[in-house]
Amino acid sequence: QVQLQESGPGLVKPSQTLSLTCTVSGGSITTNHYYWSWIRQPPGKGLEWMGAISFDGYTFYNSSLKSHISISRDTSKNQFSLQLTSVTPEDTAVYFCAREGYSGAYSVGMDYWGKGTLVTVSS
């Protein structure tokens, strides 16, 4: 059973960098055909896919965030991380990490999710 757990500060000041880590257990982040994503949900709004890192280390970002998002990984710790720079109160959201499977070029969906962590951007 794959489990994902988000961790990081729950409060970030405007203009600072939001940093979160997702620790994966029960499966390796280098296993073929899986991508590891960050998704967020602002209060009262829908889910927004932010970006992902592939099993072989390639990164993909939502174009609306590309200027201030970075996703990296530490394979020795089986973790992947999110950094979002220059945050504003509009970045307040519950942040989720999730695993997405691929069959060839086609997504088969996100099958495992973390429980999510609320990050508030406020001075």
Side-chain angles (χ1 to χ4, degrees):
Q1 178 82 358
V2 176
Q3 294 184 317
L4 296 88
Q5 177 68 57
E6 305 89 351
S7 60
L11 180 64
V12 181
K13 294 186 185 302
S15 81
Q16 292 189 341
T17 296
L18 182 159
S19 296
L20 295 174
T21 295
C22 183
T23 301
V24 179
S25 59
S28 172
I29 63 171
T30 61
T31 299
N32 281 359
H33 309 308
Y34 289 111
Y35 287 50
W36 303 87
S37 294
W38 286 99
I39 304 102
R40 67 180 179 180
Q41 185 171 30
K45 297 185 179 180
L47 295 170
E48 177 186 30
W49 177 81
M50 302 180 69
I53 187 164
S54 68
F55 61 93
D56 51 358
Y58 289 95
T59 52
F60 305 86
Y61 301 125
N62 185 323
S63 58
S64 68
L65 300 170
K66 202 168 186 178
S67 62
H68 67 123
I69 185 175
S70 177
I71 296 175
S72 60
R73 66 178 187 170
D74 185 336
T75 56
S76 68
K77 295 181 180 179
N78 214 36
Q79 295 174 333
F80 63 106
S81 298
L82 168 72
Q83 285 203 320
L84 196 63
T85 61
S86 304
V87 296
T88 72
E90 286 67 41
D91 292 307
T92 295
V94 177
Y95 286 76
F96 300 91
C97 55
R99 187 182 83 166
E100 182 175 14
Y102 273 79
S103 177
Y106 298 97
S107 172
V108 295
M110 295 181 184
D111 55 356
Y112 289 100
W113 291 67
K115 294 180 180 179
T117 187
L118 175 64
V119 179
T120 301
V121 179
S122 175
S123 55

